[in-house]
Amino acid sequence: MEKCLLCKKNDADATNSHIITWGLIKEAINRSGFKERDYETTYTISNFDIPKLYTGRSILPEHIEEILGYQPEDKQVTNNKDPLSRDNIFCDSCEIALGKIESEFIEKVYSKLIKQSFSNTSLDSRGNKVVELADYNSKLTKLLAYTLFFRTSLVKLNNITLNPKIHENIRLLVLSNLSDDNKILTANIKNLKEEEFIYPLVITYLETNADDENGKNVVIQNRSEFPYFILANRMIFQLFQKEKQVYSSIQNFYGLFKILNNRDYFSTIGDKVSIGIISNSNRSKLITTALHFLAEDNMENGKALLRKAFKLLVKRNPSEEEIGTFSYNYSQLFSQKLYGNIRELFFATFQFTFIKKPTVEELELLLKQ
């Protein structure tokens, strides 16, 4: 068995290790009304594959059929793999200890952000509320952020990896402060020096109204290194290699920089963390923009796939009108955030012109060519 990718000593025997903290993303991926693990209904979209649905072990067959609009075949059920978890990357000891950091952050910081119970607040230059964290919570939040970027880098989520030097420095910092004992972990975090967090961070919280029909957010790791960027439901994490990148970065993540200015409160070496709060209305705009951006970003790949489908199944190239119709349907797949009938949203992009409708097997064959 391979060795744990964190401690590099023990066997990597842990299973179902979530790549992004479960407590942060469960609202975005779980079936409505369920908070426990194994109730996930996660869709993945990439440039090189058809959308896939992952369902937790506790999701009943009738609910899967309700989501898909058809009864999945045995092959689809067999290949039901969670895109946001991995087996055999950590040992059980490191997995438990990482979970302690996550639980501590959820209790001490994240739950208070949701309840808006922090009293130490101010406004930034654009009128956004800013929560200023105390010493312990500041160190805890930075440590949690570092673990997120380390874990996503390990599995190359969205084909993104940290610079090898950054990856190793973060690994050593996290490893040296791990403990499966809550008291020892608390002491370790308290004894951390702010100067040990050598990579600047910008951390943002997205207000999300519980009764907002469009309030369900997404999980995105953007293909960027300047900065590294993770949107995890209600939280946005940006990690910079150097302080000067905060002032020179030209990345405008889905309109985020129009809403807030990173320079107002980014966390650099020796600084405490200040978390910018984006209002629910601005959050909704940002998520909508992100989904449309992803649609455009994947559009050319979708069109190339369409041309392959036509050549394989109808022995001709698609017309401009057919490509236009496809593009519209393809955009709907993203803009509707995959709610409703996935078969209608995606398969229709290939089926609307075909006399003989392609099967899942035919589409999978297409992707292999």
Side-chain angles (χ1 to χ4, degrees), residues 314 351-357:
V314 296
Q351 294 180 333
F352 63 87
T353 57
F354 299 148
I355 298 174
K356 179 183 177 182
K357 307 302 183 185

Side-chain angles (χ1 to χ4, degrees), residues 43-54:
Y43 296 102
T44 60
I45 303 172
S46 70
N47 292 346
F48 50 84
D49 209 345
I50 61 175
K52 286 186 171 65
L53 170 69
Y54 167 77

Side-chain angles (χ1 to χ4, degrees), residues 141-154:
T141 300
K142 286 186 177 183
L143 188 62
L144 182 281
Y146 274 25
T147 68
L148 288 179
F149 286 104
F150 173 74
R151 294 174 83 145
T152 57
S153 177
L154 277 180

Side-chain angles (χ1 to χ4, degrees), residues 43-318:
Y43 296 102
T44 60
I45 303 172
S46 70
N47 292 346
F48 50 84
D49 209 345
I50 61 175
K52 286 186 171 65
L53 170 69
Y54 167 77
T55 57
R57 290 173 294 181
S58 297
I59 297 294
L60 299 175
E62 53 264 33
H63 183 61
I64 300 176
E65 185 173 0
E66 175 187 333
I67 297 170
L68 291 173
Y70 64 96
Q71 182 62 44
E73 300 173 7
D74 291 340
K75 182 178 179 180
Q76 290 174 276
V77 176
T78 302
N79 293 329
N80 188 32
K81 296 180 180 180
D82 188 349
L84 295 176
S85 74
R86 297 291 189 279
D87 294 335
N88 307 121
I89 58 174
F90 299 126
C91 63
D92 280 333
S93 178
C94 284
E95 173 67 14
I96 292 171
L98 285 168
K100 295 289 184 180
I101 296 175
E102 296 172 347
S103 297
E104 185 75 352
F105 174 78
I106 296 298
E107 177 186 350
K108 297 294 195 309
V109 180
Y110 186 63
S111 62
K112 292 183 179 180
L113 288 171
I114 293 176
K115 296 175 183 176
Q116 302 185 38
S117 58
F118 283 105
S119 58
N120 192 16
T121 62
S122 59
L123 295 178
D124 68 14
S125 64
R126 297 184 182 175
N128 300 295
K129 185 187 295 184
V130 180
V131 170
E132 300 171 2
L133 299 183
D135 290 346
Y136 178 81
N137 285 343
S138 174
K139 297 172 184 176
L140 169 63
T141 300
K142 286 186 177 183
L143 188 62
L144 182 281
Y146 274 25
T147 68
L148 288 179
F149 286 104
F150 173 74
R151 294 174 83 145
T152 57
S153 177
L154 277 180
V155 302
K156 299 180 180 180
L157 190 63
N158 202 21
N159 293 319
I160 292 296
T161 58
L162 294 173
N163 172 285
K165 182 179 179 180
I166 297 175
H167 182 98
E168 181 62 9
N169 286 341
I170 290 179
R171 184 187 74 84
L172 293 173
L173 177 65
V174 172
L175 180 62
S176 64
N177 289 281
L178 281 183
S179 177
D180 58 5
D181 183 290
N182 288 332
K183 291 183 178 180
I184 295 176
L185 175 63
T186 299
N188 288 348
I189 294 173
K190 286 181 178 178
N191 291 331
L192 272 167
K193 294 181 174 60
E194 289 285 353
E195 290 76 13
E196 294 183 70
F197 298 101
I198 59 178
Y199 305 110
L201 291 161
V202 171
I203 301 175
T204 310
Y205 174 75
L206 308 179
E207 285 186 345
T208 306
N209 290 349
D211 57 351
D212 185 351
E213 286 294 326
N214 297 315
K216 197 169 185 180
N217 294 330
V218 293
V219 179
I220 298 172
Q221 184 175 36
N222 192 277
R223 296 194 301 276
S224 168
E225 297 181 2
F226 306 103
Y228 298 104
F229 178 96
I230 296 173
L231 193 167
N233 188 31
R234 298 190 188 201
M235 301 292 300
I236 296 176
F237 300 90
Q238 298 177 63
L239 176 74
F240 297 84
Q241 299 184 34
K242 299 177 181 179
E243 180 179 342
K244 65 180 182 181
Q245 290 178 357
V246 179
Y247 300 97
S248 61
S249 174
I250 60 174
Q251 295 281 354
N252 185 18
F253 297 109
Y254 320 120
L256 177 62
F257 288 179
K258 294 181 180 179
I259 299 172
L260 56 81
N261 186 344
N262 278 348
R263 302 181 189 186
D264 282 343
Y265 48 83
F266 81 92
S267 172
T268 186
I269 300 171
D271 283 348
K272 297 181 178 64
V273 171
S274 295
I275 298 180
I277 310 295
I278 294 180
S279 67
N280 182 64
S281 60
N282 279 332
R283 174 206 59 80
S284 182
K285 294 175 184 177
L286 187 145
I287 297 300
T288 299
T289 302
L291 291 166
H292 283 294
F293 177 87
L294 291 173
E296 292 299 321
D297 191 41
N298 286 269
M299 187 65 72
E300 290 307 313
N301 295 285
K303 289 178 181 178
L305 194 60
L306 177 72
R307 293 186 181 97
K308 286 185 178 181
F310 264 72
K311 290 179 180 179
L312 175 68
L313 300 172
V314 296
K315 313 301 182 186
R316 66 175 176 84
N317 289 320

